[in-house]
Amino acid sequence: MTEELHTLFSKMIQIRKNCGYRIQAIAKKFGILLSPNFSIENLLDLPTDQLMNVFNYLLTVESKKLLKSEEEMNILMTPALKISLRFGLKVVNLNGYLSNCPAQLKYQYFKTVVRRASEIAPNIEELILTSKQLDCNAYLDISMDSEFLQALSKFSRLHLLQIEDVCYIDGLDDLFQLLEHLQELQYLSVCFPNGFAEINFEEQNIAEKMKKSMSNLKVFRYGSATYHLRRVCMDHLPNLQVIEDFASDFSLMQDFVAFAQDPISHGTSNLRHLLVDYSQQEAINQNYHLTCPLVSHMAIFWWEEWVSEHDCSKWKPLLKFTQIESLHFLDTPLRVLNCFLSNYGSNLREISIRYGLDFTAQIISLKEIFAVCPNLEKLKCYTTMIERVPFTSFACLKEVNIEFMR
């Protein structure tokens, strides 16, 4: 027994030393040279501005360590978060905090943090936990319980709520009840469980519940693609600017600034990011350009089994918009691509063109893109190794990502 206690005690001492070394390394990034004898016990002796810089780094920058320690969470991470909240932190980014947590304990720590923050700092404006893939229903198996949702509902001043990892919200009823308490919320990103697409939206009177609790939202992203939910949102929430996901590979939450809420006439929408997913057997509204006149970003996910390039009625209505500046394509035939680029090319700032592994049709060349898109600033595309393009063609680009195919 004595030997076990000695081992445990030694481990705790080493963890505290490691926390001290970590603080020294972070402080150095901000030009702060701490004493070689600095220890975790001296942390609160730092000037407030230096302390908050260190804490902000700890809480937002993800840890790359393979071994996660619950002891380090309790000794360093949780006190850092508590102190930051008491100093009036308005944006709570938990990416760094939870990246230090053992995987099996993440939900437990996440829920505890949300509960404590709702008591210490109920006026926070942003709560952020991101994921590199929004399709979280493929790997998340924990749902937000009633205690978690009740704590979230206390953040009445939230403008942004982004929970894309650790847990999902069990369904729309839970979501509607939560949002009734978050009337200032404008940006929402959550995950739904597997099987969510099977909901009967008409029988459950979803549209009326949406209008009651979600009318102020500008962005609604969710990790379970279903055409029916997107359709209901488009029909009944005219203030939404983004539905399901961004219609661009270049749009991120960090740099997204909501467009001005332009006055809209009855029957029209403020939608700016339009997703057209033919794999959902989506029927194209012939008057999209009239009902959604402000669309500036459009994504087209082609599916040959549902739409043919020769069936122009299913895709040519998408050529009638007047404010398009960003296009995103997946598995789209060359003929269709050329039509879109010829139609919108002079105004395009962004283009993303991707193909799946089994795509065998002819792909567009970089020369064709540059020829019709003189104002292009961001480009992401697949092309072939044999194509030769002058480097001067890339001169105006601010961002480029090219993947070569055989």
Side-chain angles (χ1 to χ4, degrees):
M1 185 67 177
T2 304
E3 186 177 344
E4 290 180 5
L5 286 174
H6 182 269
T7 301
L8 180 61
F9 187 65
S10 299
K11 179 182 177 183
M12 293 300 294
I13 291 176
Q14 187 59 51
I15 290 173
R16 298 183 81 86
K17 284 184 178 179
N18 291 342
C19 289
Y21 297 150
R22 189 173 177 190
I23 295 297
Q24 290 183 51
I26 294 173
K28 192 173 182 180
K29 294 178 183 293
F30 296 96
I32 307 167
L33 296 178
L34 300 178
S35 166
N37 299 321
F38 177 88
S39 67
I40 191 71
E41 287 79 8
N42 308 126
L43 184 58
L44 295 182
D45 295 336
L46 292 176
T48 301
D49 59 334
Q50 295 182 7
L51 183 66
M52 296 312 296
N53 281 337
V54 170
F55 282 173
N56 183 63
Y57 188 95
L58 272 175
L59 298 174
T60 59
V61 178
E62 295 187 35
S63 170
K64 305 299 182 184
K65 294 194 304 181
L66 294 177
L67 298 178
K68 316 293 184 180
S69 164
E70 186 177 5
E71 290 82 5
E72 187 167 333
M73 290 293 293
N74 296 330
I75 292 171
L76 179 60
M77 300 305 300
T78 297
L81 181 57
K82 281 185 181 179
I83 294 170
S84 297
L85 289 170
R86 292 191 184 278
F87 269 98
L89 191 66
K90 294 298 183 183
V91 177
V92 180
N93 186 327
L94 295 174
N95 288 323
Y97 176 81
L98 288 173
S99 71
N100 289 271
C101 185
Q104 70 275 16
L105 299 176
K106 279 191 175 183
Y107 180 68
Q108 173 188 321
Y109 273 85
F110 189 18
K111 185 167 79 168
T112 300
V113 162
V114 169
R115 181 170 51 79
R116 288 178 178 171
S118 69
E119 299 165 356
I120 298 173
N123 292 327
I124 64 171
E125 297 176 356
E126 298 184 12
L127 180 61
I128 301 167
L129 178 61
T130 61
S131 171
K132 291 182 174 60
Q133 54 186 70
L134 188 57
D135 188 19
C136 50
N137 62 329
Y139 66 91
L140 293 183
D141 56 4
I142 299 176
S143 65
M144 303 177 195
D145 59 32
S146 58
E147 185 181 8
F148 186 94
L149 290 167
Q150 185 177 6
L152 278 179
S153 69
K154 295 179 181 178
F155 297 118
S156 59
R157 305 298 298 276
L158 271 186
H159 298 160
L160 183 150
L161 177 61
Q162 186 174 20
I163 303 178
E164 299 173 0
D165 203 356
V166 179
C167 56
Y168 60 82
I169 193 161
D170 204 27
L172 287 173
D173 284 336
D174 282 350
L175 182 64
F176 295 149
Q177 290 176 25
L178 172 64
L179 295 183
E180 285 183 13
H181 299 278
L182 307 180
Q183 291 298 310
E184 296 186 21
L185 196 67
Q186 296 187 12
Y187 187 116
L188 174 66
S189 181
V190 292
C191 297
F192 290 113
N194 277 319
F196 177 76
E198 300 168 8
I199 291 176
N200 188 316
F201 290 89
E202 293 183 3
E203 282 185 9
Q204 296 192 27
N205 198 24
I206 298 297
E208 291 305 313
K209 296 177 182 177
M210 271 187 171
K211 286 188 280 188
K212 181 180 178 181
S213 62
M214 301 176 67
S215 294
N216 294 329
L217 280 182
K218 294 182 180 179
V219 176
F220 178 31
R221 299 175 66 219
Y222 47 89
S224 185
T226 164
Y227 165 66
H228 300 290
L229 177 58
R230 178 153 38 91
R231 187 71 261 169
V232 173
C233 289
M234 289 180 69
D235 290 343
H236 300 283
L237 298 175
N239 284 332
L240 279 177
Q241 300 179 6
V242 178
I243 302 174
E244 185 177 330
D245 201 358
F246 295 119
S248 167
D249 276 349
F250 303 103
S251 294
L252 300 170
M253 181 278 295
Q254 292 90 334
D255 59 19
F256 178 77
V257 177
F259 299 89
Q261 286 296 99
D262 295 343
I264 53 175
S265 58
H266 179 71
T268 63
S269 164
N270 248 310
L271 191 70
R272 312 305 173 99
H273 285 242
L274 175 64
L275 300 178
V276 180
D277 188 353
Y278 289 108
S279 70
Q280 300 280 329
Q281 300 186 2
E282 184 164 350
I284 295 302
N285 186 331
Q286 299 294 313
N287 295 316
Y288 260 159
H289 64 295
L290 299 177
T291 56
C292 304
L294 303 176
V295 168
S296 57
H297 295 64
M298 179 160 45
I300 298 174
F301 305 136
W302 200 264
W303 197 46
E304 197 65 43
E305 295 178 28
W306 174 249
V307 60
S308 166
E309 61 184 284
H310 303 294
D311 188 354
C312 298
S313 65
K314 288 188 176 180
W315 57 269
K316 280 205 170 179
L318 298 175
L319 297 172
K320 299 178 181 179
F321 292 96
T322 60
Q323 299 192 35
I324 297 295
E325 60 183 53
S326 173
L327 288 175
H328 171 97
F329 299 97
L330 176 64
D331 288 346
T332 307
L334 182 60
R335 177 194 174 204
V336 178
L337 268 177
N338 283 329
C339 284
F340 275 88
L341 295 186
S342 297
N343 189 69
Y344 294 122
S346 60
N347 296 321
L348 287 180
R349 306 291 182 189
E350 303 174 356
I351 296 176
S352 173
I353 303 172
R354 296 189 291 118
Y355 304 98
L357 294 176
D358 56 350
F359 190 83
T360 57
Q362 185 180 2
I363 64 175
I364 196 166
S365 70
L366 291 174
K367 289 180 181 179
E368 291 174 292
I369 295 173
F370 289 128
V372 294
C373 305
N375 298 310
L376 199 61
E377 296 177 356
K378 298 181 181 181
L379 171 66
K380 182 175 183 178
C381 72
Y382 289 7
T383 187
T384 59
M385 290 289 287
I386 60 174
E387 186 180 4
R388 294 172 180 263
V389 181
F391 275 109
T392 52
S393 301
F394 297 89
C396 295
L397 293 180
K398 297 178 180 178
E399 185 174 339
V400 60
N401 184 327
I402 297 177
E403 296 187 32
F404 294 100
M405 305 173 65
R406 290 187 178 182

